[in-house]
Amino acid sequence: MSTTALRFPTPGLRAPVRSKPAPRGASRLVVKEPRKLKVPKTDFTVIKRLFWPVLMVLLVAGALSMGDRILPLIDRPISKIMVRGELSPASQQLVEQLVAPYAGSSFFEADMSGLRAALEQMPWISQAEVRRVWPDRVQVSLEEQLPIARWGEAALLNNSGAAFTPRDREEYRHLPLLQGPQRAQQQVMQQYQMLSQMLRPLGFSIARLELRERGSWFVTTAQGIELLLGRDHQVEKVQRFVAIYNKVLKDKLASIASVDLRYPNGLAVAWREAAVPATAADTTERSGE
């Protein structure tokens, strides 16, 4: 016996409707957006270039305007000038006389460059430094010339070979005397320093050094010995003299008048009168040749 089941649609419910597939070849309609109106951009390049210069001009103008108002309020007359430096009493007094007119001047308007230039024009001043010290003082620092030797009859030389004129040359009579052409100041000073260093181990010091017009050098030691060095190779010649002096001449120092070092390989000794027999003198003159 067969059974057949019958299904009846439930009241109120609809059967699902199948959607039909989209037909092939169909195209969709796309709505285009309207074009936007392009507004040209503003070029700020010129403005940027002018901004900082204009700002600086305004700031400077403002500062100057404020400075003119503030300066009278903070400016004071100079009440004290301090002078520092190792100066002799006479030099200290002259410096004080020079700086005295600046006392009472405006702290900001006083000519400090002019004061420094005036100080450095003094012959015995090597270097001057002038600076303001808030609120109403000025400090002057001076470096006095350090004389190393006399130069000719009227001047002195410092360690760099620069000549200056002392106030009283008599107080420097103990310094060695250097002489030469005016243009050769530094050369003579350098030669003096070199020769002094070479002769010092012998116990010698230079009393006089002369450079003549033809270029020849002459040295006179404080021990009274004259050294004739010629125009060239001074170092080699002095080295030769040092070597021979230590070997042969050291014990005859009091008898030596001069030593001629202008020979290429030797030297000649001139003796003081009646100090050494002639035979000994002849032997010594040719030593080292």
Side-chain angles (χ1 to χ4, degrees):
M1 181 175 180
S2 61
T3 303
T4 303
L6 298 178
R7 294 183 179 181
F8 296 93
T10 305
L13 294 177
R14 293 183 180 181
V17 180
R18 295 179 180 179
S19 59
K20 298 181 179 180
R24 294 183 179 180
S27 59
R28 296 182 180 181
L29 181 62
V30 179
V31 181
K32 295 183 179 180
E33 296 182 0
R35 293 182 179 180
K36 295 181 179 180
L37 182 61
K38 294 183 179 180
V39 180
K41 296 182 178 180
T42 305
D43 187 5
F44 293 98
T45 304
V46 178
I47 298 177
K48 290 180 180 179
R49 291 179 180 177
L50 295 177
F51 175 75
W52 289 111
V54 172
L55 180 61
M56 291 300 297
V57 171
L58 294 176
L59 290 176
V60 171
L64 292 176
S65 177
M66 294 182 62
D68 292 339
R69 299 176 181 178
I70 297 176
L71 186 60
L73 301 177
I74 62 175
D75 191 15
R76 298 183 182 182
I78 297 173
S79 63
K80 186 176 182 180
I81 301 177
M82 302 172 291
V83 179
R84 296 181 178 180
E86 296 180 1
L87 303 176
S88 64
S91 300
Q92 184 80 16
Q93 183 177 2
L94 291 175
V95 170
E96 290 176 356
Q97 292 176 1
L98 179 62
V99 303
Y102 288 83
S105 302
S106 167
F107 180 79
F108 291 105
E109 296 180 1
D111 186 7
M112 298 292 101
S113 298
L115 175 57
R116 184 184 65 183
L119 290 168
E120 291 183 344
Q121 286 179 357
M122 291 183 168
W124 61 92
I125 299 298
S126 173
Q127 185 177 2
E129 180 184 355
V130 181
R131 66 185 185 92
R132 296 177 175 88
V133 181
W134 176 263
D136 57 357
R137 293 182 297 167
V138 172
Q139 180 174 306
V140 178
S141 300
L142 300 176
E143 183 177 341
E144 194 170 17
Q145 293 276 17
L146 179 61
I148 301 298
R150 293 174 290 155
W151 178 249
E153 297 299 327
L156 300 176
L157 290 181
N158 60 18
N159 57 353
S160 62
F164 63 98
T165 305
R167 299 178 303 281
D168 185 7
R169 194 172 184 273
E170 289 300 322
E171 64 177 295
Y172 302 104
R173 298 299 299 179
H174 64 285
L175 295 177
L177 175 63
L178 308 186
Q179 291 181 310
Q182 193 66 25
R183 64 183 182 278
Q185 296 173 354
Q186 294 183 354
Q187 181 185 3
V188 176
M189 173 54 68
Q190 291 174 358
Q191 189 80 318
Y192 165 77
Q193 293 173 337
M194 180 189 68
L195 295 177
S196 295
Q197 185 175 2
M198 297 180 69
L199 295 174
R200 190 174 296 116
L202 302 182
F204 289 173
S205 58
I206 296 177
R208 179 173 178 171
L209 174 63
E210 181 181 1
L211 172 61
R212 297 183 181 174
E213 288 293 338
R214 294 185 178 181
S216 295
W217 293 89
F218 295 85
V219 177
T220 303
T221 69
Q223 291 72 28
I225 299 176
E226 185 178 12
L227 304 178
L228 290 68
L229 300 179
R231 289 182 294 182
D232 51 15
H233 306 295
Q234 286 81 30
V235 174
E236 292 84 350
K237 292 174 180 178
V238 175
Q239 289 175 342
R240 185 194 314 154
F241 168 72
V242 171
I244 296 176
Y245 176 85
N246 286 327
K247 292 180 179 179
V248 181
L249 302 177
K250 187 173 183 179
D251 296 333
K252 304 179 179 64
L253 174 61
S255 304
I256 301 173
S258 65
V259 179
D260 192 345
L261 295 161
R262 293 175 292 183
Y263 298 93
N265 298 311
L267 54 82
V269 179
W271 304 99
R272 301 185 189 278
E273 295 182 1
V276 177
T279 55
D282 293 340
T283 303
T284 306
E285 286 177 3
R286 292 176 173 76
S287 63
E289 293 186 5

